[in-house]
Amino acid sequence: MGFFYDLPRDVCNQKGYFMPTKRAAKIIDGKKVSEAILAELKLEIEGLKARGITPGLAVVLVGEDPGSQIYVRNKRRTCAEIGMASFAYDLPKETPEKKLLDLIAKLNADPKVHGILVQSPLPKQIDEQKVLNALDPNKDVDGFHPVNKGKLLNGEDCFVACTPAGCQELLLRYGYDPAGKHVVIVGRSNIVGKPVAALLMQKAKGANATVTVCHSRTKNLPAVTKTADILIAAIGVPEFVKARMVKDGVVVIDVGMNRVPDATKKSGSRLCGDVDFKGVSKKARAITPVPGGVGPMTIAMLMKNTVLAAKRRGK
Ligand code: GUN
């Protein structure tokens, strides 16, 4: 199955022989797309503010996980950049579950707060699902509350988890409509694998894909990934997807964000995705880089969901 709108343009060589071109993969630039979305949201927020509504996002961080600290800092900074109010709650890693649940109840009741995000992972004394269940589904801009997850599966209007929504948005903005395509997802996490499968299999615009979800127990995984028209890698293993595991012309969305040792870098490490970018980009039609692919889209979708929450309440 090819993407008919994106066939290689064959050329003649100097002797006039017909030469099929081997083009480099198109880079799906999540940074550029996210900047465009954030610019649109900034204008929308100005309009809402003129009507007396300032969208507000509460971002809750428990503990000092370095990765989570970076994510949370980026989310708060983006709120400020687009004129959204952000409410920061940094709790120590020993915080008892009850204290976090009390904070959620307070935020649920606060009219200035339109969206609530509790950064995961949470320390082990806290039951993450219990915390998610305590969120007001109308403020669950992460799309992790069971009500929103159930509605997504049902094809009802809901808050869609930000990373899956970002993957879909990137595919659509670059003209790779998943309709009728075989989408293979590597990874079955609650945050990405499961919701992106639910999203892309819907009978809806921007979806209608045939979806296969692979995971650690999948037998002969390369045989499955090789059949993908669109491959979404979200397994959390650095450079897991190799060139031999994909077919020519695949569109690759790399959700991974891993830090690996690299002696050639001053810092001694580098960021990489779940896809061996160098190898796979030689075969792919299009591919997201890491960083600069899905990561910025997750934040843009979070902002979009928060503006949506504010507009819904404003009505
Ligand atoms: N941890 C990793 N990704 C996410 C995310 O999208 N939302 C939250 N709340 N925590 C995360």
Side-chain angles (χ1 to χ4, degrees), residues 68 71 75 117-121 142 144 162-163 191 298:
S68 293
Y71 286 132
K75 288 168 187 175
L117 176 140
V118 183
Q119 186 66 28
S120 91
D142 245 340
F144 292 166
C162 304
T163 302
I191 290 182
T298 299

Side-chain angles (χ1 to χ4, degrees), residues 104-110 113-117 130-148 159 309 313:
I104 301 293
K106 192 180 101 173
L107 296 173
N108 281 344
D110 187 340
V113 173
H114 299 94
I116 305 169
L117 176 140
K130 208 164 159 186
V131 172
L132 296 176
N133 292 356
L135 293 168
D136 175 348
N138 297 310
K139 295 191 178 188
D140 168 38
V141 287
D142 245 340
F144 292 166
H145 188 283
V147 165
N148 283 313
F159 288 117
R313 183 130 57 76

Side-chain angles (χ1 to χ4, degrees), residues 10 54 63 84 101 105 175 250:
D10 296 337
T54 302
M84 191 183 283
L101 291 172
V250 65

